[in-house]
Amino acid sequence: MLDGWMRRWIDPPLDRLGHGLARAGISADAVTLAGLVLGLASAFMIALELDGAALILFGLNRLLDGLDGAVARSTRRTDRGGFLDIVLDFAIYGAIPLAFALRDPGAFALPAAVLLFSFYVNGASFLAFAAVAAKREMSSDIRGIKSIYFTAGFMEGTETILFFAAMILLPWSFPILAYAFAGLTVMSALARITLAWHAFRDEPDESD
């Protein structure tokens, strides 16, 4: 929901940084893979209760997640890069709740499971919509030029960053934040399913 507003602020500096990395010979795929390492390291720090390090590493992961696209725009966008970007994003989004569950199974395992369930449903609706949109040759640049069709929702990248940062800063509040995040994520999925119900309705056969 906030991504459109945020992109107006962060895209220009990211594009400048991305152009510099591209000129230095650093590929977008390398930036994506480095982001994965930092994101998984952040999750590991959460499990070890090293929250300051976890927050820094998570922030760097999100920075690289924005930079890989900027590097790609300065060189050449590829289907492989787009595939890696979305899959590794999902990996990090799953690793953070898992890390909290490992940190304190008694208090955090159930809210982490509920949050992961909401991610599963939302991710399925997102990717299924993109697949059908590609089949129908639909396109959208509502969130910039992407490798797959992006649908806007209540919970997007900006909201995810804010929730995860709050969880890391206030780990004792993880259950409350996880349930709230899960509820909003399910709402986002339901809105996308409703959109798909109408957008993908087959037209009646008028050949008769």
Side-chain angles (χ1 to χ4, degrees), residues 53-149:
L55 185 62
I56 292 171
L57 289 167
F58 179 68
L60 291 172
N61 163 262
R62 293 296 86 198
L63 173 62
L64 294 188
D65 181 61
L67 274 176
D68 60 3
V71 173
R73 288 191 293 272
S74 292
T75 52
R76 183 172 64 93
R77 295 188 301 274
T78 66
D79 289 339
R80 183 181 70 180
F83 174 83
L84 281 176
D85 183 53
I86 190 67
V87 170
L88 299 188
D89 269 353
F90 273 66
I92 299 305
Y93 291 167
I96 299 297
L98 175 61
F100 277 101
L102 294 173
R103 174 178 178 145
D104 188 345
F108 295 162
L110 179 58
V114 171
L115 182 56
L116 288 172
F117 167 78
S118 74
F119 286 174
Y120 186 91
V121 174
N122 190 55
S125 72
F126 175 81
L127 294 175
F129 195 105
V132 178
K135 178 182 177 182
R136 294 186 172 217
E137 299 182 345
M138 297 168 59
S139 63
S140 173
D141 59 358
I142 190 171
R143 291 296 179 258
I145 299 173
K146 302 286 187 179
S147 296
I148 63 175
Y149 191 100

Side-chain angles (χ1 to χ4, degrees), residues 40-51 94-113 116 171 174:
L40 293 178
S42 175
F44 187 61
M45 293 297 106
I46 290 171
L48 295 179
E49 302 186 24
L50 299 174
D51 299 322
I96 299 297
L98 175 61
F100 277 101
L102 294 173
R103 174 178 178 145
D104 188 345
F108 295 162
L110 179 58
L116 288 172
F174 175 77

Side-chain angles (χ1 to χ4, degrees), residues 8-28:
R8 293 197 295 268
W9 291 92
I10 66 174
D11 276 359
L14 283 178
D15 284 340
R16 288 192 292 270
L17 285 172
H19 183 66
L21 291 175
R23 291 186 62 183
I26 298 173
S27 70

